Amino acid sequence: MRKILIVGGGYAGFYAAWKLEKKLRRGEAEVTVVDPRPYMTYQPFLPEVVAGSIEARHAAVSLRRHLHRTRVITGMVDAIDHEHRTVTIRRADGDPVDEGYDLIVVTAGAVTRKFPVPGIAEQAIGLKHVEEAVAIRDRLLTSFDRAAMLPPGPQRQKLLTATFVGGGFSGVEGFAELLSLAHALLKRYPELHRDELRFHLVEASNRILPEVSDAPGRWVVRFLQDRGAQVHLDTQIRSMTEGHVVLSTGEEFDSELIVWTAGNAANPVVDKHTDLPVDNRGFLVARPDLRVGTAADPVPDAWAAGDDAAIEDLTAPIPGTHTVPNAQNAVRQGKLLARNIVATLRGGKPKNYRHHSLGSIAELGLGHGIFQYRRFVIKGPLAWLMHRGYHVLAVPSWERKARVFAIWVTAAMFGRDILSLASVQHPRDAFVEGGEPAVPPNGVSPDRTSPR
């Protein structure tokens, strides 16, 4: 059997493996997925995890549960040597191993773009993974608990200040959902007041939500400002050392929570540790049929899709435009990958990727949203319902759809769950701080492994 190795279990990788299982005949090929996490993160649900509207586990799809005939390796690919058809995988124990293949599919995704800002490594949290969304929510809930015990002053103000850097969909949705959660929390904290909340959204360009037109983007800014947020456009972060934020405008403030969502950067494995061709930004050069290489010179046995690939958008009015790195494209590219790979294995020709956008939609807190398709714009509760309806249908597997829908119904009946489990990030603290081990009268510790 030919060995198909998929690097990355995100949207494109998961859907490619899922569809290959259904299309490949038994004995035709062996499929392996390598990813450091044993699940696919459904990123559009992360803002709702931040707000507590969705259970964290329901925003992830288990690879082993849904890929029944695919070998899953939990590890990080450190290098791709396509000339010798091998990859180097760093396992959980840190030891590197080499894995051979006949055909490679690179869907490693992108990483969060970072800049050399003092304090970013110590203070900022990203918003690409479930763990980060949970940490953001728990940080806010813990800050409210601590602030409620303090008198008004600088320390209390810092605890009630949150800062998001980046005005793309991830940043705006996460920011709006956290702001909505903060307003809901005030009902449970009579010691705190709404005018004490300080929520800052910092964007380096002169607008937010680049995938919507100017007028809807300005409406979102006004909506957030009406809810008490401060939106800083044409502004950069100069420093965030010890939570003290310094902006390029000269404004300074202390912020307990800083979330960094300033766009995507090339995956280091693709950018620096492969002999496959990459462009000047560090993304894989890919053809419209998803084969790696150029139109005149495709790389044999190498395919790519998703956020780590520069794929020409054949539906764009300007030649040379690349497909937008979003979930719509990654999911559809993953499905086409499977069809094209099977076609080539059987002597057929792959098809080019073409997808006309279904529009852009964003949630802006509980009961609020915005949707745009070309010049058609919907705002408010209807857009919010459309967002939920679309994504509950789009998340893979009926099992996940049922779980997400059930928790939405539960939240509608009983309200948000405002329990913080920040202590789970340090599970041994209670055990270690629980006192010294008891010493028997003879001064000899008992052998707890001996039978009694």
Side-chain angles (χ1 to χ4, degrees), residues 3 6 16 41 52 91 93 155 168 170 187 194 206 228 248 258 302 305 322 351 365 371 390 395 430 435:
K3 293 184 177 180
I6 300 176
T41 301
R91 301 180 302 191
D93 58 11
Q155 184 59 33
S170 177
K187 300 176 183 177
R194 178 169 175 166
N206 61 359
S248 59
I258 302 174
H322 294 139
K351 295 183 178 180
F371 167 79
Y390 171 79
V395 68

Side-chain angles (χ1 to χ4, degrees), residues 2 103 291 303 339-350:
R2 299 200 72 187
L103 186 153
R291 285 186 287 185
W303 302 76
R339 295 196 296 270
N340 282 353
I341 289 171
V342 172
T344 55
L345 289 177
R346 298 172 184 171
K349 292 184 178 180

